[in-house]
Amino acid sequence: MKKKNLLWIVAIAGALTMSSCASKKALTECQDENKALSENYQSTREQLAAAQSRLRSLEDQLAQSKSDYAKLQNSLDKSLTNANQNNISIEKLVDQINESNQYIRHLVEVKSKSDSLNMVLTNNLTRSLSKEELKEVDVQVLKGVVYISLADNMLYKSGSYEINDRAAQTLSKIAKIIMDYKDYDVLVEGNTDNVPISRENIRNNWDLSCLRASSVVQYLQTNYGVDPKRLTAGGRGEYNPLTTNNTEVGKQRNRRTQIIITPKLDQFMELIDKAPEND
């Protein structure tokens, strides 16, 4: 009987020992699993927080984009309203731009033809002048206008506004060019140096420059039949110098008469179509 009881006790103790070992293992496994779950939970929370932060940033960007779009839409609405008020469509604006571009291209072509035509005029005139005349006559084309500059000593008597005999031959050649180009207007402009002058009927350099220009205009009209409607006489006194008046050479250059030949604006296009061929 005692032996039997002892076996029971040993069996129960063994069972308890085995049960205890199984419980420790299960506990360890539970603890490990719990730790893994905790770490996963923390990682998930961090990812969630990052996602929420990104979401807020995207929401802010979306709100800003909506605001910008609203401003742009408002501006567009105002532009369309203004366009409607002015009865101007986008198509009409495009047509106007295209017409402007065509007009600009046309002006460039016109200027090119005008420059070529004026060069023909200049070449014709310089070819007709002698070497001696070219020393005292300067011919230039500036911005589509022909400038013929003549020294005062080849045109006028000393200190006078009367045309001298020496000028006749040169003025006859200039008059021929003027007569050949009937669609041009002619401005004769007198210029002096800064030396004061006071003579009978000449109060100052203003008077002298105007009287000299008037003498040339009347000479062209009376002697060569240039239409007076094409002619204008003007004086600029001493106030349009080419160079300094501090030297005798400078004063001599400033004492000049300019014959300025320019197309009439209302006949300009017709004139271009009739441009002569260059030799």
Side-chain angles (χ1 to χ4, degrees), residues 33-277:
E33 184 178 355
N34 183 63
K35 182 179 180 181
L37 290 173
S38 296
E39 290 176 351
N40 289 337
Y41 174 72
Q42 184 63 30
S43 176
T44 301
R45 288 190 59 185
E46 291 174 354
Q47 293 176 7
L48 178 61
Q52 289 174 339
S53 176
R54 177 61 177 165
L55 177 61
R56 286 193 296 270
S57 176
L58 292 174
E59 288 175 343
D60 291 341
Q61 293 179 19
L62 178 60
Q64 183 63 44
S65 297
K66 288 181 178 179
S67 175
D68 293 342
Y69 175 78
K71 292 179 181 178
L72 181 61
Q73 185 66 43
N74 184 51
S75 177
L76 179 60
D77 291 342
K78 288 182 179 179
S79 298
L80 292 175
T81 300
N82 291 335
N84 290 332
Q85 289 175 347
N86 293 320
N87 197 28
I88 299 176
S89 65
I90 295 178
E91 291 80 5
K92 188 174 181 179
L93 288 173
V94 171
D95 290 340
Q96 290 177 349
I97 293 172
N98 290 334
E99 289 177 1
S100 297
N101 289 336
Q102 291 177 358
Y103 183 65
I104 291 172
R105 288 193 293 269
H106 180 64
L107 287 180
V108 172
E109 181 180 355
V110 166
K111 184 181 184 305
S112 177
K113 289 183 179 180
S114 173
D115 290 344
S116 299
L117 184 58
N118 286 329
M119 288 304 299
V120 172
L121 186 156
T122 302
N123 291 336
N124 288 344
L125 178 58
T126 53
R127 282 199 300 267
S128 69
L129 297 174
S130 67
K131 291 182 179 179
E132 291 301 317
E133 288 173 321
L134 286 173
K135 293 179 181 179
E136 298 179 298
V137 178
D138 181 40
V139 183
Q140 295 184 21
V141 176
L142 300 174
K143 297 182 179 179
V145 178
V146 179
Y147 292 83
I148 306 171
S149 183
L150 302 102
D152 72 321
N153 57 1
M154 78 169 297
L155 286 177
Y156 314 105
K157 298 175 182 178
S158 179
S160 172
Y161 55 86
E162 298 292 341
I163 302 295
N164 63 30
D165 296 335
R166 181 167 168 250
Q169 185 176 3
T170 302
L171 287 178
S172 68
K173 296 174 181 178
I174 295 174
K176 183 180 184 306
I177 293 294
I178 293 174
M179 295 293 286
D180 288 343
Y181 291 82
K182 297 184 182 298
D183 293 310
Y184 277 78
D185 280 331
V186 180
L187 168 63
V188 179
E189 181 183 275
N191 295 270
T192 70
D193 57 25
N194 66 345
V195 177
I197 185 171
S198 180
R199 297 185 182 182
E200 186 178 357
N201 298 326
I202 304 177
R203 294 168 296 181
N204 49 41
N205 283 327
W206 278 116
D207 281 355
L208 180 60
S209 64
C210 291
L211 288 168
R212 285 183 166 179
S214 179
S215 293
V216 174
V217 164
Q218 294 180 64
Y219 199 89
L220 292 172
Q221 176 187 354
T222 303
N223 293 276
Y224 305 111
V226 178
D227 185 355
K229 294 179 181 179
R230 299 172 56 196
L231 299 171
T232 302
R236 303 190 68 174
E238 64 196 69
Y239 302 104
N240 184 37
L242 289 176
T243 184
T244 177
N245 283 298
N246 294 334
T247 65
E248 287 302 319
V249 174
K251 291 176 182 177
Q252 184 178 356
R253 287 193 63 197
N254 292 332
R255 294 192 302 268
R256 70 200 188 280
T257 296
Q258 283 191 314
I259 299 177
I260 303 171
I261 305 176
T262 182
K264 295 179 181 179
L265 294 179
D266 57 344
Q267 298 175 351
F268 185 64
M269 296 307 299
E270 180 181 356
L271 175 64
I272 290 175
D273 293 335
K274 297 179 181 179
E277 294 294 330

